[in-house]
């Protein structure tokens, strides 16, 4: 075979192969089912969709578009989630063996490198609020007219718009609160500086180590306390403490009852504390005891044998024996009161003189002066109580005499 014949056979083989490929593409179509089931689907956008566009169910071709219509009153019909109007109504012929429900999703799908459009039916599981119904020839179906890729871009666009609005609000908020934010940042900076200074100071003073020692000591103390409590519990000390507390409680209740009795003036002690006459008598006894102690201090333990004390007592006794009439008693009483007033006047003069002195503070604040003045006040108070006692005795004697007269 010469070279020319060989080249002619190769060219003829290439021509036949290309013819077969073109024939397969143009004349051999994939099976799309029997086309006996009709579907009415409404779209708001049929860009790239035309009569003959393939219909796929879960990726498998099951039919094609046979007719495209326009809806006259489309603007009054329902719209999709992006506000688009369902303006076109497509008639699809699909395989009658495929069962399509209202819960399935109808959408426009782009496939292949050349961007071929198709109508995809994606089966979806039914929801609780939407029970599935079989699609019939008279049931219009509203498809998702936007390509998933285009829908993703639309969602990204919506998201970008929302982000932009949020950023604008954030910028506006920052503009309105710029001064407050600056103050807050400065305060935070000062606080952090203070914390850093405090931490440095803590490190310098080794407070962490001291705190650790304190915690260890506290832990040791708690261990000792636990050991002591365990020992007390083993020795039944708590039961004894309970008995002691109950006894103390009973004693407290008894003391409380006695205190109430005393406060109400009941009982011997109560009457002793609450009766004014008993109080005056006790005060008189104490006054006499005080006079006795003064005599002992002045004249000695055997003051009754002291000549001076005997002369003073004899003088007072003789003077009182000489009082026989009310007039003489009145004179005696006035003389005693005059002597008391004279003594009080002298004390007042001494106090005024001390106040006018340059050393008034030293004189008035002298412990001995304060002690003597307190003793004087106590004696004056005892004298006043004695007078009240004498007055009470006098009133009792008058009442007793009047009672005897009435009998």
């Amino acid at each position: 075979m010469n070279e020319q014949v060989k080249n002619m056979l190769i060219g003829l083989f290439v021509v036949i192969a290309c013819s077969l490929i073109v024939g397969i593409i143009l004349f051999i179509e994939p099976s799309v089912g029997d086309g006996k089931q009709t579907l009415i689907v409404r779209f708001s956008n049929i860009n790239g969709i035309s009569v003959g566009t393939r219909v796929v169910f879960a990726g498998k071709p099951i039919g094609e578009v046979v007719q495209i219509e326009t809806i006259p009153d489309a603007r009054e019909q329902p719209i999709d989630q992006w506000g688009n109007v369902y303006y076109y109504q497509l008639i699809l012929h699909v395989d009658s063996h495929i069962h399509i429900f209202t819960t399935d999703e109808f959408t426009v799908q782009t496939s292949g490198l050349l961007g071929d459009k198709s109508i995809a039916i994606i089966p979806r599981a039914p929801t609780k609020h939407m029970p599935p119904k079989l699609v019939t020839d008279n049931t219009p179906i509203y498809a998702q007219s936007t390509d998933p890729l285009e829908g993703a871009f639309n969602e990204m666009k919506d998201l970008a718009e929302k982000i932009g609005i949020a950023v604008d609000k954030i910028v506006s908020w920052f503009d309105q609160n710029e001064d407050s934010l600056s103050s807050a940042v400065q305060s935070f900076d000062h606080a952090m500086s203070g914390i850093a200074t405090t931490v440095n100071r803590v490190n310098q003073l080794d407070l962490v180590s001291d705190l650790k020692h304190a915690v260890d000591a506290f832990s040791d103390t708690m261990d000792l306390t636990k050991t002591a409590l365990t020992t007390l519990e083993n020795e039944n000390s708590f039961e004894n403490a309970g008995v002691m507390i109950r006894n103390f409680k009973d004693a407290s209740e008894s003391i409380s009852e006695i205190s109430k009795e005393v406060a109400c003036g009941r009982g011997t002690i109560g009457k002793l504390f609450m009766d004014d006459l008993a109080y005056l008598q006790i005060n008189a006894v104490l006054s006499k005891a005080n006079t006795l102690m003064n005599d002992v201090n002045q004249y000695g333990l055997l003051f009754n044998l002291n000549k001076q004390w005997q002369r003073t007592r004899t003088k007072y006794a003789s003077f009182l024996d000489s009082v026989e009439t009310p007039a003489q008693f009145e004179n005696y009483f006035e003389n005693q009161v005059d002597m008391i007033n004279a003594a009080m006047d002298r004390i007042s003069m001494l106090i005024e003189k001390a106040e006018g002195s340059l050393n008034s503070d030293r004189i008035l604040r002298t412990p001995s002066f304060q002690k003597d003045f307190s003793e004087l006040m106590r004696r004056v108070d005892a004298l006043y109580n004695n007078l009240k006692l004498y007055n009470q005795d006098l009133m009792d004697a008058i009442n007793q005499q009047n009672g005897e007269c009435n009998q």
Side-chain angles (χ1 to χ4, degrees):
M1 182 179 297
N2 56 17
E3 190 68 21
Q4 185 176 5
V5 174
K6 184 177 180 180
N7 292 333
M8 289 180 60
L9 291 176
I10 293 173
L12 180 61
F13 177 76
V14 172
V15 172
I16 293 172
C18 292
S19 300
L20 290 174
I21 293 172
V22 173
I24 291 171
I25 294 174
L26 295 179
F27 300 104
I28 299 178
E29 296 180 357
S31 176
V32 294
D34 56 10
K36 295 182 179 179
Q37 183 178 192
T38 301
L39 301 178
I40 301 175
V41 185
R42 295 183 177 179
F43 286 83
S44 60
N45 185 3
I46 56 171
N47 183 22
I49 303 297
S50 60
V51 175
T53 299
R54 191 169 300 170
V55 178
V56 296
F57 180 82
K60 179 182 178 182
I62 61 170
E64 60 183 3
V65 179
V66 297
Q67 186 178 354
I68 298 176
E69 301 174 349
T70 58
I71 302 174
D73 53 350
R75 299 182 187 277
E76 299 177 0
Q77 299 296 324
I79 59 177
D80 63 4
Q81 57 182 341
W82 291 287
N84 299 321
V85 177
Y86 290 98
Y87 193 77
Y88 299 99
Q89 179 172 284
L90 277 62
I91 308 298
L92 310 180
H93 285 174
V94 298
D95 191 351
S96 60
H97 297 89
I98 303 300
H99 300 290
I100 301 172
F101 296 89
T102 54
T103 55
D104 296 339
E105 180 181 353
F106 286 74
T107 183
V108 177
Q109 181 176 335
T110 303
S111 61
L113 297 176
L114 299 177
D116 296 335
K117 298 287 186 178
S118 61
I119 297 175
I121 303 174
I122 303 172
R124 297 293 185 186
T127 60
K128 295 181 180 180
H129 305 289
M130 183 181 291
K133 293 181 180 179
L134 191 63
V135 176
T136 62
D137 297 345
N138 299 323
T139 304
I141 301 170
Y142 294 90
Q144 183 177 350
S145 305
T146 306
D147 187 273
L149 185 59
E150 185 179 354
F153 281 117
N154 290 332
E155 292 179 356
M156 292 180 63
K157 179 181 177 183
D158 295 339
L159 179 61
E161 291 178 354
K162 292 179 180 178
I163 293 174
I165 294 172
V167 170
D168 292 338
K169 290 182 178 179
I170 293 172
V171 172
S172 177
W173 184 83
F174 271 100
D175 292 338
Q176 294 177 358
N177 300 277
E178 183 178 0
D179 297 337
S180 300
L181 286 174
S182 299
S183 300
V185 171
Q186 291 177 358
S187 300
F188 180 75
D189 182 59
H190 293 161
M192 293 302 296
S193 300
I195 292 173
T197 304
T198 303
V199 171
N200 292 331
R201 184 62 176 169
V202 169
N203 293 330
Q204 292 176 359
L205 296 176
D206 200 14
L207 293 179
V208 176
S209 178
D210 295 340
L211 181 62
K212 182 178 181 301
H213 292 316
V215 172
D216 293 339
F218 180 75
S219 178
D220 295 339
T221 303
M222 294 303 295
D223 292 338
L224 293 174
T225 303
K226 182 179 179 181
T227 303
L229 291 174
T230 304
T231 304
L232 293 174
E233 185 176 1
N234 294 332
E235 295 178 355
N236 296 325
S237 299
F238 291 110
E239 295 181 0
N240 298 329
V243 174
M244 184 180 67
I245 291 173
R246 286 195 294 273
N247 294 334
F248 181 74
K249 180 182 178 183
D250 296 338
S252 299
E253 292 177 354
S254 300
I255 292 173
S256 178
E257 292 179 357
I258 293 172
S259 300
K260 290 180 180 177
E261 294 292 330
V262 172
C264 296
R266 293 193 291 267
T268 304
I269 299 177
K271 293 179 180 178
L272 180 63
F273 279 100
M274 300 304 295
D275 191 359
D276 292 339
L277 181 59
Y279 168 73
L280 294 175
Q281 290 176 348
I282 292 173
N283 207 352
V285 171
L286 294 176
S287 178
K288 291 179 180 179
N290 189 24
T291 303
L292 178 62
M293 294 304 297
N294 289 332
D295 291 339
V296 170
N297 292 331
Q298 186 174 359
Y299 301 105
L301 184 59
L302 301 176
F303 62 92
N304 56 334
L305 301 179
N306 187 279
K307 298 296 182 182
Q308 186 179 356
W309 181 83
Q310 291 177 354
R311 286 195 294 270
T312 303
R313 294 291 297 177
T314 303
K315 180 181 177 181
Y316 281 114
S318 300
F319 188 79
L320 289 175
D321 291 339
S322 64
V323 176
E324 297 178 351
T325 62
Q328 291 177 349
F329 177 76
E330 183 179 1
N331 292 330
Y332 169 75
F333 184 76
E334 289 180 353
N335 290 331
Q336 295 295 321
V337 172
D338 291 339
M339 292 174 65
I340 295 172
N341 290 331
M344 298 299 294
D345 291 338
R346 293 191 187 97
I347 293 172
S348 177
M349 291 174 62
L350 291 174
I351 293 175
E352 291 178 356
K353 187 176 179 180
E355 289 178 348
S357 176
L358 297 176
N359 300 322
S360 58
D361 292 338
R362 186 172 60 83
I363 295 172
L364 297 177
R365 297 181 182 276
T366 302
S368 58
F369 173 78
Q370 295 180 354
K371 180 180 179 181
D372 294 341
F373 194 79
S374 299
E375 180 65 18
L376 175 63
M377 294 299 296
R378 190 180 62 79
R379 290 189 177 187
V380 170
D381 188 55
L383 179 62
Y384 173 73
N385 292 327
N386 288 335
L387 288 175
K388 290 175 63 177
L389 179 62
Y390 296 151
N391 182 61
Q392 185 66 34
D393 293 340
L394 179 60
M395 295 301 298
D396 293 340
I398 293 173
N399 294 330
Q400 184 178 3
Q401 186 177 7
N402 292 334
E404 292 176 354
C405 292
N406 293 329
Q407 292 177 359

